[in-house]
Amino acid sequence: MSNTKENDTMKKRILYIDNAPMIALVIQRILGEKYKILFASSVQEARQISNTQTISLVIAEPYIDEEGVLNFLNQKGGGTSILILTGSLPKLGYFYSQLRVKYTTLEKPFNTKGFIKIVEELTS
């Protein structure tokens, strides 16, 4: 048991922000073996997690709270990679125009191998 706990502390941490539990389970299943996945169902919860954990990658679903996610990502910025999952890119024109940090987008539904490749690139 302690070996599993030690392995978890060695894994890079990914913060996933979304209020859809089903997608969170899919992300955990796809990435959980290699990464420590931290879930936040609100921007407030994401802030609390990021204040206590070193995050390598933030994966965000902006539709839960566009303005809140925008502010969080702009504040997080710097050395944390950002991947934005979206169902329809054109609907978020204002959101993207206000982002002041480097980010990568991936439109849902996504291909698992492509998703893993992007995550590996962003966390390397």
Side-chain angles (χ1 to χ4, degrees):
M1 183 159 176
S2 103
N3 192 21
T4 302
K5 198 169 191 177
E6 287 174 22
N7 288 342
D8 272 357
T9 61
M10 302 294 288
K11 292 179 180 180
K12 290 183 179 181
R13 289 169 180 75
I14 295 175
L15 174 58
Y16 177 63
I17 309 169
D18 193 0
N19 60 356
M22 187 59 125
I23 303 293
L25 290 172
V26 171
I27 300 271
Q28 176 63 41
R29 193 169 352 129
I30 294 170
L31 300 174
E33 197 169 305
K34 185 171 180 179
Y35 301 94
K36 173 77 174 163
I37 310 300
L38 307 168
F39 298 106
S41 60
S42 69
V43 174
Q44 180 181 353
E45 192 176 350
R47 280 193 173 89
Q48 291 170 343
I49 291 169
S50 70
N51 286 338
T52 61
Q53 303 281 330
T54 301
I55 306 297
S56 298
L57 172 65
V58 174
I59 301 176
E61 168 58 78
Y63 293 110
I64 67 167
D65 173 3
E66 281 185 41
E67 197 66 34
V69 171
L70 177 66
N71 290 333
F72 174 77
L73 295 177
N74 281 335
Q75 289 170 0
K76 190 73 186 146
T80 304
S81 296
I82 296 169
L83 175 61
I84 299 172
L85 298 182
T86 152
S88 177
L89 297 175
K91 292 181 182 177
L92 291 172
Y94 172 79
F95 178 85
Y96 292 120
S97 72
Q98 299 302 307
L99 269 174
R100 302 292 176 238
V101 294
K102 184 178 174 187
Y103 62 90
T104 301
T105 59
L106 181 62
E107 190 167 353
K108 295 185 295 186
F110 51 79
N111 155 321
T112 301
K113 288 181 182 179
F115 176 62
I116 292 169
K117 182 179 177 190
I118 289 171
V119 168
E120 287 175 347
E121 288 172 1
L122 292 173
T123 58
S124 63

